[in-house]
């Protein structure tokens, strides 16, 4: 949302929609304004990587990162990704405005997260993605655990942005795993996904779709959309 802060987003949206509002995100303002781009330095700052030209799956034509030849990746890890810190800071504002009556009582705070597949596919060379995806997934898991531990379940909703997954299903982006079962884009209702296609979403379900630890009231949804880097929107669907 092109506003200056989470508070501006909360006040603006709540003021316009009122008690019809059920879930309210913070707008991903500031450093997060261009979706996953703010995660790129977490990868590029690691000494295990070297930069190359952008690849077909690169986001915003950023230099693609490759593991240096012979590098030891056993100690490679990501500390804080920043998503939990941003969510908790925004929730403080959300909770305050809700107490003050500026946000409807029945509205939940919505946290939007990229699937682990997205930054890895966007920033890392294809031949190194299989090695990096579990590392980033573990870090994202920790972010989610921190979020659900700090925000009351009945105040929280989590949305997973599955942009890259649908591009992969349509064959627009190469993948490191086998037989995803390419599906050419068709504006008519799609056929049921194959077992291989369903398996491609395993990281999405493993990281955050299943309630646990007493989080039965937490809502989890998926934002299924993607934009072609060269043309207009090829296909978009939003679901929860």
């Amino acid at each position: 949302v092109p506003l200056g802060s989470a508070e501006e987003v909360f006040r603006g949206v709540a003021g316009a929609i009122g008690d019809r509002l059920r879930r309210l995100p913070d707008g991903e303002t500031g450093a997060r304004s261009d979706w996953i781009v703010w995660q790129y330095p977490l990868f590029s700052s690691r000494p295990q990587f070297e930069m190359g030209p952008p690849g077909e799956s690169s986001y915003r034509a950023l230099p693609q990162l490759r593991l240096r030849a012979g590098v030891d990746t056993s100690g490679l890890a990501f500390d804080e990704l920043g998503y939990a810190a941003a969510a908790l800071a925004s929730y403080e504002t959300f909770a305050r405005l809700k107490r003050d009556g500026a946000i409807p009582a029945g509205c939940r705070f919505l946290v939007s997260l990229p699937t682990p597949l997205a930054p890895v596919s966007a920033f890392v060379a294809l031949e190194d993605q299989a090695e990096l995806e579990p590392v980033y997934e573990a870090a994202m898991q920790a972010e989610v655990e921190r979020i659900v531990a700090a925000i009351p379940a009945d105040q929280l909703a989590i949305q997973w942005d599955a942009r890259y997954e649908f591009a992969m299903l349509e064959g627009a982006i190469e993948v490191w795993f086998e037989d995803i079962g390419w599906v050419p884009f068709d504006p008519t209702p799609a056929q049921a996904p194959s077992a291989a296609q369903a398996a491609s979403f395993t990281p999405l379900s493993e990281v955050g779709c299943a309630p646990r630890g007493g989080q039965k009231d937490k809502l989890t949804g998926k934002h299924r959309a993607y934009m072609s880097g060269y043309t207009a929107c090829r296909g978009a669907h939003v679901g929860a």
Side-chain angles (χ1 to χ4, degrees):
V1 178
L3 293 174
S5 67
E7 181 159 353
E8 287 185 53
V9 175
F10 292 150
R11 288 187 179 278
V13 176
I17 300 179
D19 59 9
R20 291 168 292 180
L21 192 60
R22 292 294 177 263
R23 289 170 288 279
L24 181 58
D26 67 1
E28 298 179 61
T29 59
R32 295 176 292 139
S33 63
D34 195 0
W35 194 39
I36 59 175
V37 168
W38 73 302
Q39 294 290 285
Y40 185 80
L42 295 180
F43 290 82
S44 62
S45 63
R46 295 297 191 274
Q48 293 92 341
F49 287 110
E50 60 184 8
M51 292 187 180
E56 290 186 2
S57 64
S58 295
Y59 187 72
R60 293 288 185 262
L62 291 165
Q64 198 169 58
L65 302 171
R66 299 177 183 276
L67 289 172
R68 298 182 186 276
V71 70
D72 180 10
T73 60
S74 60
L76 181 62
F78 297 99
D79 297 323
E80 291 189 17
L81 301 179
Y83 285 103
L88 300 190
S90 291
Y91 179 70
E92 287 187 9
T93 302
F94 177 92
R96 171 172 55 81
L97 293 177
K98 198 172 187 180
R99 287 194 302 269
D100 294 344
I103 293 174
C107 181
R108 293 174 182 244
F109 174 54
L110 175 64
V111 177
S112 298
L113 301 170
T115 64
L117 202 62
V120 173
S121 298
F123 304 146
V124 178
L126 181 64
E127 62 268 23
D128 296 323
Q129 289 175 13
E131 190 164 1
L132 267 296
E133 197 276 341
V135 178
Y136 190 87
E137 181 179 321
M140 182 61 80
Q141 178 74 62
E143 298 284 307
V144 173
E145 296 290 353
R146 184 179 169 195
I147 290 168
V148 300
I151 300 177
D154 62 356
Q155 298 297 307
L156 178 64
I158 294 177
Q159 170 181 290
W160 291 101
D161 297 333
R163 173 195 185 275
Y164 269 79
E165 284 79 355
F166 274 77
M168 289 172 177
L169 286 174
E170 292 188 4
I173 296 176
E174 286 189 274
V175 298
W176 72 82
F177 37 87
E178 295 181 3
D179 184 25
I180 191 172
W182 305 126
V183 179
F185 173 66
D186 183 348
T188 60
Q191 58 184 332
S194 67
Q197 290 171 325
S200 73
F201 287 85
T202 297
L204 177 61
S205 60
E206 284 180 346
V207 170
C209 286
R212 60 184 172 281
Q215 295 291 331
K216 294 181 180 179
D217 296 326
K218 172 175 64 68
L219 294 181
T220 306
K222 306 175 190 70
H223 176 200
R224 301 189 282 264
Y226 85 91
M227 182 79 73
S228 167
Y230 305 100
T231 59
C233 186
R234 295 184 59 194
H237 173 73
V238 177

